């Protein structure tokens, strides 16, 4: 997610690392508690601590913060890293439901919140690897 040159990064505009940490914590709290998210919760290890830390680093960098994720793990290669996990429309929608609620709880500015959500929705849709029509989403 990028801003026009000279614009303050979204990371700073939402409150920096503290807000990203709360966002990720609320996201995984929702994944743990929402019945609609039980399918994607089952895809994760019982202990969400390590994945919380990875997502905090990734989202912080994605929102324009320090490149902590890349320094530790290299290029995100997000879709490639998730190809072993079946992601269809239901998984995308459950993920977005958790993220939308977390954004509503942590990002006060409605315009920033909407912009972040829209970018995340595009990313979540791109991550699908179980097509609805039998073809891979990445195929032309």
């Amino acid at each position: 997610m990028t801003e026009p040159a000279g614009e303050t990064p979204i990371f700073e505009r939402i409150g920096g690392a503290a807000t990203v940490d709360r966002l990720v914590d609320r996201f995984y709290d929702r994944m743990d508690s929402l019945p609609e998210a039980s399918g994607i919760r089952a895809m994760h290890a019982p202990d969400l601590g390590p994945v919380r830390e990875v997502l905090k680093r990734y989202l912080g960098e994605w929102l324009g913060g320090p490149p902590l994720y890349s320094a530790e793990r290299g290029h995100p290669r997000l879709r490639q890293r998730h190809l072993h996990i079946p992601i269809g429309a239901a998984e995308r929608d459950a993920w977005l439901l958790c993220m939308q609620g977390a954004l509503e709880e942590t990002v006060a500015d409605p315009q920033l919140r909407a912009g972040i959500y829209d970018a995340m929705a595009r990313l979540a849709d791109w991550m699908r690897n179980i097509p609805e029509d039998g073809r891979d989403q990445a195929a032309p």
Side-chain angles (χ1 to χ4, degrees):
M1 187 166 189
T2 59
E3 299 83 22
E7 192 170 316
T8 303
I10 290 173
F11 177 81
E12 291 178 29
R13 291 172 27 211
I14 65 170
T19 300
V20 171
D21 288 356
R22 282 193 314 274
L23 172 64
V24 170
D25 287 339
R26 292 306 303 138
F27 168 79
Y28 282 113
D29 291 347
R30 294 174 73 74
M31 186 187 291
D32 255 346
S33 64
L34 293 176
E36 302 92 335
S38 63
I40 61 171
R41 177 59 180 97
M43 296 175 170
H44 293 76
D47 178 8
L48 291 173
V51 73
R52 282 179 192 252
E53 293 308 311
V54 170
L55 187 57
K56 287 174 183 180
R57 288 180 182 91
Y58 174 79
L59 281 183
E61 184 172 335
W62 187 74
L63 291 167
L68 302 176
Y69 180 92
S70 294
E72 183 179 289
R73 297 171 137 316
H75 189 281
R77 298 186 320 265
L78 211 52
R79 194 162 197 272
Q80 179 183 347
R81 290 182 194 264
H82 289 79
L83 281 176
H84 69 285
I85 302 167
I87 302 171
E91 292 78 16
R92 174 204 59 204
D93 293 349
W95 192 94
L96 286 170
L97 176 68
C98 294
M99 187 54 74
Q100 183 176 34
L103 283 165
E104 288 171 0
E105 291 182 46
T106 58
V107 178
D109 183 303
Q111 281 188 302
L112 281 174
R113 186 172 56 239
I116 294 167
Y117 179 82
D118 289 347
M120 286 182 170
R122 288 189 302 274
L123 181 60
D125 193 55
W126 178 74
M127 294 294 291
R128 289 187 303 143
N129 56 28
I130 297 176
E132 304 308 309
D133 65 0
R135 291 190 319 240
D136 185 347
Q137 297 299 313

